[in-house]
Amino acid sequence: YLPSNNTEDPPHNLSAPIDNSPDLGLNDLIPADPSEPLEMQAIIRRLVDNGELLEVHASFARNIIVGFARFSGVIVGIVANQPMVMAGALDLDAADKVARFVRTCNVFNVPLVTLVDVPGFLPGVEEERGGIIRHGAKMLHAYASCTTPKITVILRKSYGGSYLAMCSQELGADMVFAWPTAEIAVMGAEAAVKMLYRKELDKAEDRAARAAELAQEYRDEFASPYEAASNFYITDVIEPCETRATIALALRKTLGKRELRPGKKHGNMPL
């Protein structure tokens, strides 16, 4: 690694020991039905030190959570989807909120932890008229140009363009972990089955049962986190109870990260 322009590091408490004990209570927060929303605030407070999150812009774009916390003494900026609001989909305001926060963390050399449960960018005429592509590009640019340590954990859904936008490996994440419940694909299983197997479903005696069967096959074969790991899109598949210790260890390993960037004043940010 080569020295970056960041000359001062945040005051991490690296003397704090890493708690490697599994948090089995985290498993109880995961709904058995994948269609039920996950309460991301509860997940975050189980992961961070003392359950303390300093949330920023809490009342704006509530479908995304940004704020500051600590993992075993290491100060981080947290970006997380909130499935309880708009299913956690990314819209215009959410993209701007994340872009601003990620740029702020990069300015002050604060590592980023991204928790992912996102079905995609919010569709609709209003979003298109508002310039969802332009606003989404700001979010991607902010993550791509960020030189601080970037750790990503995919909890459940991660589909299409939103998979990239939430700090995927392709966007420069240093480590990407996934829970066994994660689904990484171009689109959700139900939507994919309707497109790929339309003729077969029309001929089926029990359309709903056959659609559910095909959707599960799609999840196992294409959307499984183990499939993503075998193609090196993610670093490892971890149990939910191991998430806190895994993030804390990953942060300790990447705190000395340095990146050499071209000798230009700045990148060409989409505006």
Side-chain angles (χ1 to χ4, degrees):
Y1 291 112
L2 297 173
S4 69
N5 293 329
N6 297 317
T7 57
E8 295 185 3
D9 292 329
H12 304 295
N13 180 18
L14 298 183
S15 62
I18 296 178
D19 183 7
N20 291 320
S21 59
D23 182 7
L24 298 178
L26 198 60
N27 296 333
D28 298 333
L29 300 177
I30 307 172
D33 186 352
S35 63
E36 292 184 20
L38 187 74
E39 174 47 76
M40 190 61 74
Q41 285 278 6
I43 295 291
I44 293 173
R45 298 187 189 282
R46 297 285 306 209
L47 296 177
V48 301
D49 292 1
N50 304 318
E52 296 177 352
L53 170 69
L54 177 61
E55 191 171 355
V56 182
H57 309 305
S59 299
F60 175 69
R62 294 174 53 246
N63 48 318
I64 198 83
I65 299 169
V66 300
F68 298 99
R70 287 180 182 265
F71 278 89
S72 295
V74 179
I75 299 171
V76 302
I78 291 181
V79 178
N81 304 107
Q82 176 53 289
M84 301 296 289
V85 181
M86 295 166 48
L90 297 171
D91 64 348
L92 300 168
D93 290 339
D96 287 348
K97 181 177 178 179
V98 173
R100 172 69 174 175
F101 183 75
V102 170
R103 299 282 285 188
T104 301
C105 289
N106 195 35
V107 167
F108 294 101
N109 203 25
V110 176
L112 282 165
V113 173
T114 305
L115 304 177
V116 184
D117 186 1
V118 59
F121 281 94
L122 187 68
V125 175
E126 291 301 320
E127 294 296 308
E128 295 293 339
R129 287 176 176 171
I132 184 62
I133 294 178
R134 182 178 71 254
H135 288 266
K138 293 180 184 179
M139 180 176 171
L140 270 74
H141 183 276
Y143 264 127
S145 61
C146 181
T147 60
T148 66
K150 292 178 285 189
I151 311 299
T152 299
V153 182
I154 303 174
L155 311 187
R156 296 207 297 181
K157 301 180 293 295
S158 186
Y159 298 149
S162 61
Y163 155 76
L164 294 172
M166 292 300 293
C167 200
S168 64
Q169 182 192 66
E170 293 82 353
L171 219 58
D174 296 292
M175 297 184 190
V176 181
F177 301 99
W179 287 1
T181 52
E183 295 181 19
I184 306 170
V186 175
M187 62 177 65
E190 288 75 14
V193 164
K194 291 178 182 178
M195 293 181 60
L196 298 174
Y197 303 100
R198 179 172 58 84
K199 293 182 178 179
E200 183 175 342
L201 291 175
D202 291 339
K203 297 177 182 178
E205 295 182 3
D206 188 341
R207 183 185 180 92
R210 182 55 179 158
E213 181 182 346
L214 291 171
Q216 188 58 48
E217 291 178 3
Y218 179 90
R219 289 190 184 95
D220 296 339
E221 186 173 355
F222 300 109
S224 168
Y226 300 101
E227 180 68 18
S230 68
N231 288 286
F232 304 103
Y233 291 116
I234 61 177
T235 307
D236 199 3
V237 180
I238 61 173
E239 291 295 329
C241 61
E242 301 171 352
T243 306
R244 174 176 161 79
T246 300
I247 294 175
L249 184 59
L251 288 167
R252 297 293 180 98
K253 288 182 177 180
T254 56
L255 278 181
K257 171 187 174 182
R258 295 292 185 269
E259 286 191 14
L260 177 65
R261 290 299 174 107
K264 299 179 181 180
K265 291 189 292 184
H266 52 72
N268 190 16
M269 186 175 184
L271 298 170

mmCIF file of all heavy atoms in Angstrom, residues 32-69:
data_model
loop_
_atom_site.group_PDB
_atom_site.id
_atom_site.type_symbol
_atom_site.label_atom_id
_atom_site.label_comp_id
_atom_site.label_asym_id
_atom_site.label_seq_id
_atom_site.Cartn_x
_atom_site.Cartn_y
_atom_site.Cartn_z
ATOM 1 N N ALA A 32 -38.489 -15.899 9.568
ATOM 2 C CA ALA A 32 -38.442 -17.183 8.865
ATOM 3 C C ALA A 32 -38.918 -17.039 7.431
ATOM 4 O O ALA A 32 -38.421 -17.715 6.526
ATOM 5 C CB ALA A 32 -39.287 -18.208 9.606
ATOM 6 N N ASP A 33 -39.879 -16.148 7.196
ATOM 7 C CA ASP A 33 -40.405 -15.903 5.864
ATOM 8 C C ASP A 33 -39.575 -14.826 5.179
ATOM 9 O O ASP A 33 -39.495 -13.701 5.680
ATOM 10 C CB ASP A 33 -41.864 -15.462 5.954
ATOM 11 C CG ASP A 33 -42.534 -15.334 4.589
ATOM 12 O OD1 ASP A 33 -41.824 -15.433 3.564
ATOM 13 O OD2 ASP A 33 -43.757 -15.130 4.553
ATOM 14 N N PRO A 34 -38.924 -15.127 4.048
ATOM 15 C CA PRO A 34 -38.095 -14.124 3.372
ATOM 16 C C PRO A 34 -38.867 -12.909 2.874
ATOM 17 O O PRO A 34 -38.277 -11.875 2.575
ATOM 18 C CB PRO A 34 -37.476 -14.901 2.194
ATOM 19 C CG PRO A 34 -38.294 -16.120 2.035
ATOM 20 C CD PRO A 34 -38.874 -16.423 3.365
ATOM 21 N N SER A 35 -40.206 -13.013 2.800
ATOM 22 C CA SER A 35 -41.000 -11.874 2.360
ATOM 23 C C SER A 35 -41.279 -10.889 3.498
ATOM 24 O O SER A 35 -41.717 -9.769 3.256
ATOM 25 C CB SER A 35 -42.333 -12.352 1.768
ATOM 26 O OG SER A 35 -43.115 -13.014 2.750
ATOM 27 N N GLU A 36 -41.009 -11.301 4.735
ATOM 28 C CA GLU A 36 -41.192 -10.402 5.873
ATOM 29 C C GLU A 36 -39.986 -9.480 6.008
ATOM 30 O O GLU A 36 -38.841 -9.910 5.838
ATOM 31 C CB GLU A 36 -41.374 -11.200 7.163
ATOM 32 C CG GLU A 36 -42.673 -11.979 7.235
ATOM 33 C CD GLU A 36 -42.838 -12.663 8.581
ATOM 34 O OE1 GLU A 36 -42.160 -12.234 9.537
ATOM 35 O OE2 GLU A 36 -43.627 -13.622 8.660
ATOM 36 N N PRO A 37 -40.231 -8.197 6.337
ATOM 37 C CA PRO A 37 -39.106 -7.248 6.429
ATOM 38 C C PRO A 37 -38.245 -7.487 7.657
ATOM 39 O O PRO A 37 -38.724 -7.946 8.699
ATOM 40 C CB PRO A 37 -39.801 -5.885 6.497
ATOM 41 C CG PRO A 37 -41.149 -6.177 7.070
ATOM 42 C CD PRO A 37 -41.532 -7.538 6.551
ATOM 43 N N LEU A 38 -36.979 -7.167 7.511
ATOM 44 C CA LEU A 38 -36.008 -7.275 8.594
ATOM 45 C C LEU A 38 -35.904 -5.915 9.290
ATOM 46 O O LEU A 38 -35.836 -4.881 8.625
ATOM 47 C CB LEU A 38 -34.653 -7.676 7.999
ATOM 48 C CG LEU A 38 -33.504 -8.009 8.932
ATOM 49 C CD1 LEU A 38 -33.722 -9.378 9.566
ATOM 50 C CD2 LEU A 38 -32.196 -8.025 8.143
ATOM 51 N N GLU A 39 -35.897 -5.890 10.612
ATOM 52 C CA GLU A 39 -35.753 -4.634 11.351
ATOM 53 C C GLU A 39 -34.265 -4.312 11.470
ATOM 54 O O GLU A 39 -33.566 -4.831 12.340
ATOM 55 C CB GLU A 39 -36.403 -4.745 12.726
ATOM 56 C CG GLU A 39 -36.191 -3.540 13.639
ATOM 57 C CD GLU A 39 -36.446 -2.210 12.957
ATOM 58 O OE1 GLU A 39 -37.616 -1.857 12.758
ATOM 59 O OE2 GLU A 39 -35.453 -1.531 12.608
ATOM 60 N N MET A 40 -33.765 -3.454 10.574
ATOM 61 C CA MET A 40 -32.335 -3.199 10.494
ATOM 62 C C MET A 40 -31.799 -2.458 11.713
ATOM 63 O O MET A 40 -30.650 -2.674 12.119
ATOM 64 C CB MET A 40 -32.019 -2.409 9.224
ATOM 65 C CG MET A 40 -30.533 -2.304 8.921
ATOM 66 S SD MET A 40 -29.705 -3.897 8.644
ATOM 67 C CE MET A 40 -30.320 -4.309 7.004
ATOM 68 N N GLN A 41 -32.598 -1.588 12.308
ATOM 69 C CA GLN A 41 -32.141 -0.884 13.506
ATOM 70 C C GLN A 41 -31.785 -1.875 14.611
ATOM 71 O O GLN A 41 -30.773 -1.725 15.307
ATOM 72 C CB GLN A 41 -33.225 0.084 13.983
ATOM 73 C CG GLN A 41 -33.380 1.347 13.152
ATOM 74 C CD GLN A 41 -32.356 2.413 13.535
ATOM 75 O OE1 GLN A 41 -31.472 2.161 14.348
ATOM 76 N NE2 GLN A 41 -32.475 3.582 12.943
ATOM 77 N N ALA A 42 -32.615 -2.894 14.781
ATOM 78 C CA ALA A 42 -32.351 -3.896 15.811
ATOM 79 C C ALA A 42 -31.074 -4.677 15.494
ATOM 80 O O ALA A 42 -30.295 -5.009 16.404
ATOM 81 C CB ALA A 42 -33.542 -4.845 15.929
ATOM 82 N N ILE A 43 -30.861 -4.991 14.214
ATOM 83 C CA ILE A 43 -29.649 -5.704 13.807
ATOM 84 C C ILE A 43 -28.415 -4.872 14.124
ATOM 85 O O ILE A 43 -27.425 -5.364 14.692
ATOM 86 C CB ILE A 43 -29.697 -6.026 12.303
ATOM 87 C CG1 ILE A 43 -30.840 -6.997 11.982
ATOM 88 C CG2 ILE A 43 -28.354 -6.587 11.828
ATOM 89 C CD1 ILE A 43 -30.650 -8.391 12.511
ATOM 90 N N ILE A 44 -28.444 -3.592 13.759
ATOM 91 C CA ILE A 44 -27.288 -2.721 13.972
ATOM 92 C C ILE A 44 -26.938 -2.640 15.449
ATOM 93 O O ILE A 44 -25.768 -2.736 15.848
ATOM 94 C CB ILE A 44 -27.559 -1.317 13.400
ATOM 95 C CG1 ILE A 44 -27.666 -1.381 11.870
ATOM 96 C CG2 ILE A 44 -26.454 -0.340 13.804
ATOM 97 C CD1 ILE A 44 -28.104 -0.075 11.230
ATOM 98 N N ARG A 45 -27.945 -2.469 16.292
ATOM 99 C CA ARG A 45 -27.681 -2.288 17.718
ATOM 100 C C ARG A 45 -27.196 -3.579 18.383
ATOM 101 O O ARG A 45 -26.588 -3.526 19.457
ATOM 102 C CB ARG A 45 -28.931 -1.730 18.411
ATOM 103 C CG ARG A 45 -29.298 -0.353 17.862
ATOM 104 C CD ARG A 45 -30.421 0.314 18.620
ATOM 105 N NE ARG A 45 -30.859 1.522 17.927
ATOM 106 C CZ ARG A 45 -30.219 2.686 17.961
ATOM 107 N NH1 ARG A 45 -29.114 2.801 18.672
ATOM 108 N NH2 ARG A 45 -30.675 3.735 17.311
ATOM 109 N N ARG A 46 -27.438 -4.730 17.764
ATOM 110 C CA ARG A 46 -26.853 -5.971 18.263
ATOM 111 C C ARG A 46 -25.391 -6.097 17.857
ATOM 112 O O ARG A 46 -24.616 -6.810 18.512
ATOM 113 C CB ARG A 46 -27.614 -7.191 17.706
ATOM 114 C CG ARG A 46 -29.049 -7.311 18.112
ATOM 115 C CD ARG A 46 -29.256 -7.756 19.516
ATOM 116 N NE ARG A 46 -28.600 -8.989 19.890
ATOM 117 C CZ ARG A 46 -29.081 -9.808 20.824
ATOM 118 N NH1 ARG A 46 -30.230 -9.543 21.407
ATOM 119 N NH2 ARG A 46 -28.426 -10.875 21.186
ATOM 120 N N LEU A 47 -25.000 -5.411 16.774
ATOM 121 C CA LEU A 47 -23.654 -5.564 16.239
ATOM 122 C C LEU A 47 -22.644 -4.584 16.831
ATOM 123 O O LEU A 47 -21.491 -4.946 17.083
ATOM 124 C CB LEU A 47 -23.675 -5.397 14.714
ATOM 125 C CG LEU A 47 -24.451 -6.433 13.903
ATOM 126 C CD1 LEU A 47 -24.429 -6.076 12.424
ATOM 127 C CD2 LEU A 47 -23.863 -7.827 14.108
ATOM 128 N N VAL A 48 -23.045 -3.323 17.028
ATOM 129 C CA VAL A 48 -22.089 -2.283 17.395
ATOM 130 C C VAL A 48 -21.823 -2.271 18.896
ATOM 131 O O VAL A 48 -22.592 -2.840 19.678
ATOM 132 C CB VAL A 48 -22.591 -0.895 16.933
ATOM 133 C CG1 VAL A 48 -22.792 -0.890 15.422
ATOM 134 C CG2 VAL A 48 -23.900 -0.520 17.626
ATOM 135 N N ASP A 49 -20.737 -1.607 19.281
ATOM 136 C CA ASP A 49 -20.365 -1.522 20.695
ATOM 137 C C ASP A 49 -21.470 -0.850 21.515
ATOM 138 O O ASP A 49 -21.953 0.232 21.151
ATOM 139 C CB ASP A 49 -19.070 -0.718 20.846
ATOM 140 C CG ASP A 49 -17.869 -1.454 20.271
ATOM 141 O OD1 ASP A 49 -18.051 -2.568 19.748
ATOM 142 O OD2 ASP A 49 -16.750 -0.906 20.332
ATOM 143 N N ASN A 50 -21.836 -1.477 22.611
ATOM 144 C CA ASN A 50 -22.811 -0.936 23.558
ATOM 145 C C ASN A 50 -24.173 -0.643 22.920
ATOM 146 O O ASN A 50 -24.990 0.070 23.510
ATOM 147 C CB ASN A 50 -22.284 0.343 24.223
ATOM 148 C CG ASN A 50 -20.950 0.125 24.910
ATOM 149 O OD1 ASN A 50 -20.748 -0.897 25.571
ATOM 150 N ND2 ASN A 50 -20.033 1.071 24.756
ATOM 151 N N GLY A 51 -24.422 -1.143 21.726
ATOM 152 C CA GLY A 51 -25.689 -0.903 21.047
ATOM 153 C C GLY A 51 -25.920 0.550 20.699
ATOM 154 O O GLY A 51 -27.066 0.978 20.535
ATOM 155 N N GLU A 52 -24.829 1.331 20.554
ATOM 156 C CA GLU A 52 -24.944 2.775 20.345
ATOM 157 C C GLU A 52 -24.688 3.143 18.884
ATOM 158 O O GLU A 52 -23.616 2.877 18.343
ATOM 159 C CB GLU A 52 -23.964 3.525 21.246
ATOM 160 C CG GLU A 52 -24.263 3.348 22.734
ATOM 161 C CD GLU A 52 -23.239 4.034 23.609
ATOM 162 O OE1 GLU A 52 -22.224 4.513 23.074
ATOM 163 O OE2 GLU A 52 -23.453 4.083 24.832
ATOM 164 N N LEU A 53 -25.674 3.773 18.258
ATOM 165 C CA LEU A 53 -25.563 4.268 16.882
ATOM 166 C C LEU A 53 -25.921 5.742 16.866
ATOM 167 O O LEU A 53 -27.018 6.125 17.288
ATOM 168 C CB LEU A 53 -26.503 3.497 15.953
ATOM 169 C CG LEU A 53 -26.660 4.067 14.536
ATOM 170 C CD1 LEU A 53 -25.360 3.894 13.745
ATOM 171 C CD2 LEU A 53 -27.819 3.396 13.804
ATOM 172 N N LEU A 54 -24.995 6.576 16.387
ATOM 173 C CA LEU A 54 -25.270 7.994 16.215
ATOM 174 C C LEU A 54 -25.790 8.186 14.791
ATOM 175 O O LEU A 54 -25.019 8.353 13.850
ATOM 176 C CB LEU A 54 -24.011 8.830 16.450
ATOM 177 C CG LEU A 54 -24.154 10.351 16.226
ATOM 178 C CD1 LEU A 54 -25.198 10.940 17.172
ATOM 179 C CD2 LEU A 54 -22.810 11.042 16.406
ATOM 180 N N GLU A 55 -27.119 8.133 14.646
ATOM 181 C CA GLU A 55 -27.711 8.203 13.312
ATOM 182 C C GLU A 55 -27.698 9.631 12.787
ATOM 183 O O GLU A 55 -27.939 10.589 13.532
ATOM 184 C CB GLU A 55 -29.131 7.664 13.339
ATOM 185 C CG GLU A 55 -29.724 7.465 11.954
ATOM 186 C CD GLU A 55 -31.055 6.738 11.969
ATOM 187 O OE1 GLU A 55 -31.480 6.297 13.058
ATOM 188 O OE2 GLU A 55 -31.679 6.626 10.900
ATOM 189 N N VAL A 56 -27.431 9.763 11.501
ATOM 190 C CA VAL A 56 -27.375 11.066 10.835
ATOM 191 C C VAL A 56 -28.555 11.179 9.871
ATOM 192 O O VAL A 56 -28.878 10.217 9.169
ATOM 193 C CB VAL A 56 -26.042 11.226 10.068
ATOM 194 C CG1 VAL A 56 -25.957 12.598 9.415
ATOM 195 C CG2 VAL A 56 -24.858 11.015 11.005
ATOM 196 N N HIS A 57 -29.216 12.330 9.832
ATOM 197 C CA HIS A 57 -30.363 12.560 8.948
ATOM 198 C C HIS A 57 -31.428 11.477 9.140
ATOM 199 O O HIS A 57 -31.934 10.904 8.164
ATOM 200 C CB HIS A 57 -29.922 12.591 7.479
ATOM 201 C CG HIS A 57 -28.778 13.511 7.200
ATOM 202 N ND1 HIS A 57 -28.795 14.839 7.524
ATOM 203 C CD2 HIS A 57 -27.566 13.287 6.611
ATOM 204 C CE1 HIS A 57 -27.653 15.403 7.160
ATOM 205 N NE2 HIS A 57 -26.886 14.482 6.612
ATOM 206 N N ALA A 58 -31.769 11.201 10.381
ATOM 207 C CA ALA A 58 -32.668 10.080 10.687
ATOM 208 C C ALA A 58 -34.058 10.247 10.084
ATOM 209 O O ALA A 58 -34.709 9.253 9.737
ATOM 210 C CB ALA A 58 -32.777 9.908 12.201
ATOM 211 N N SER A 59 -34.533 11.485 9.938
ATOM 212 C CA SER A 59 -35.891 11.717 9.446
ATOM 213 C C SER A 59 -35.963 11.884 7.936
ATOM 214 O O SER A 59 -37.050 12.038 7.380
ATOM 215 C CB SER A 59 -36.482 12.967 10.126
ATOM 216 O OG SER A 59 -36.549 12.791 11.526
ATOM 217 N N PHE A 60 -34.822 11.852 7.271
ATOM 218 C CA PHE A 60 -34.768 12.035 5.822
ATOM 219 C C PHE A 60 -34.443 10.707 5.149
ATOM 220 O O PHE A 60 -33.512 10.005 5.557
ATOM 221 C CB PHE A 60 -33.710 13.083 5.472
ATOM 222 C CG PHE A 60 -33.480 13.268 3.996
ATOM 223 C CD1 PHE A 60 -34.457 13.841 3.192
ATOM 224 C CD2 PHE A 60 -32.296 12.878 3.405
ATOM 225 C CE1 PHE A 60 -34.257 14.021 1.837
ATOM 226 C CE2 PHE A 60 -32.081 13.043 2.045
ATOM 227 C CZ PHE A 60 -33.062 13.618 1.263
ATOM 228 N N ALA A 61 -35.210 10.336 4.111
ATOM 229 C CA ALA A 61 -34.972 9.083 3.378
ATOM 230 C C ALA A 61 -34.830 7.922 4.366
ATOM 231 O O ALA A 61 -33.781 7.287 4.458
ATOM 232 C CB ALA A 61 -33.739 9.197 2.483
ATOM 233 N N ARG A 62 -35.912 7.622 5.073
ATOM 234 C CA ARG A 62 -35.878 6.628 6.145
ATOM 235 C C ARG A 62 -35.706 5.198 5.640
ATOM 236 O O ARG A 62 -35.542 4.275 6.441
ATOM 237 C CB ARG A 62 -37.146 6.740 6.995
ATOM 238 C CG ARG A 62 -37.230 8.062 7.762
ATOM 239 C CD ARG A 62 -38.551 8.244 8.497
ATOM 240 N NE ARG A 62 -38.853 7.114 9.355
ATOM 241 C CZ ARG A 62 -39.870 6.290 9.176
ATOM 242 N NH1 ARG A 62 -40.687 6.449 8.153
ATOM 243 N NH2 ARG A 62 -40.085 5.294 10.006
ATOM 244 N N ASN A 63 -35.730 5.004 4.336
ATOM 245 C CA ASN A 63 -35.478 3.681 3.768
ATOM 246 C C ASN A 63 -33.982 3.327 3.760
ATOM 247 O O ASN A 63 -33.603 2.223 3.368
ATOM 248 C CB ASN A 63 -36.046 3.568 2.356
ATOM 249 C CG ASN A 63 -35.669 4.738 1.471
ATOM 250 O OD1 ASN A 63 -35.686 5.896 1.908
ATOM 251 N ND2 ASN A 63 -35.347 4.465 0.222
ATOM 252 N N ILE A 64 -33.141 4.268 4.188
ATOM 253 C CA ILE A 64 -31.707 3.995 4.316
ATOM 254 C C ILE A 64 -31.247 4.580 5.643
ATOM 255 O O ILE A 64 -31.723 5.634 6.083
ATOM 256 C CB ILE A 64 -30.902 4.605 3.138
ATOM 257 C CG1 ILE A 64 -29.505 3.975 3.026
ATOM 258 C CG2 ILE A 64 -30.805 6.107 3.246
ATOM 259 C CD1 ILE A 64 -29.466 2.684 2.287
ATOM 260 N N ILE A 65 -30.339 3.887 6.308
ATOM 261 C CA ILE A 65 -29.805 4.311 7.603
ATOM 262 C C ILE A 65 -28.331 4.647 7.437
ATOM 263 O O ILE A 65 -27.567 3.844 6.879
ATOM 264 C CB ILE A 65 -29.966 3.203 8.653
ATOM 265 C CG1 ILE A 65 -31.440 2.852 8.860
ATOM 266 C CG2 ILE A 65 -29.333 3.610 9.983
ATOM 267 C CD1 ILE A 65 -31.651 1.592 9.688
ATOM 268 N N VAL A 66 -27.913 5.810 7.913
ATOM 269 C CA VAL A 66 -26.497 6.166 7.945
ATOM 270 C C VAL A 66 -26.178 6.718 9.331
ATOM 271 O O VAL A 66 -27.007 7.371 9.954
ATOM 272 C CB VAL A 66 -26.117 7.198 6.861
ATOM 273 C CG1 VAL A 66 -26.412 6.655 5.467
ATOM 274 C CG2 VAL A 66 -26.853 8.519 7.064
ATOM 275 N N GLY A 67 -24.992 6.452 9.810
ATOM 276 C CA GLY A 67 -24.610 6.938 11.129
ATOM 277 C C GLY A 67 -23.245 6.420 11.530
ATOM 278 O O GLY A 67 -22.582 5.692 10.779
ATOM 279 N N PHE A 68 -22.831 6.797 12.737
ATOM 280 C CA PHE A 68 -21.506 6.441 13.246
ATOM 281 C C PHE A 68 -21.639 5.515 14.442
ATOM 282 O O PHE A 68 -22.553 5.650 15.269
ATOM 283 C CB PHE A 68 -20.739 7.699 13.646
ATOM 284 C CG PHE A 68 -20.484 8.645 12.504
ATOM 285 C CD1 PHE A 68 -21.292 9.749 12.311
ATOM 286 C CD2 PHE A 68 -19.444 8.421 11.626
ATOM 287 C CE1 PHE A 68 -21.073 10.622 11.266
ATOM 288 C CE2 PHE A 68 -19.212 9.277 10.571
ATOM 289 C CZ PHE A 68 -20.024 10.385 10.378
ATOM 290 N N ALA A 69 -20.704 4.565 14.543
ATOM 291 C CA ALA A 69 -20.693 3.614 15.653
ATOM 292 C C ALA A 69 -19.277 3.078 15.807
ATOM 293 O O ALA A 69 -18.349 3.524 15.116
ATOM 294 C CB ALA A 69 -21.684 2.479 15.401
#
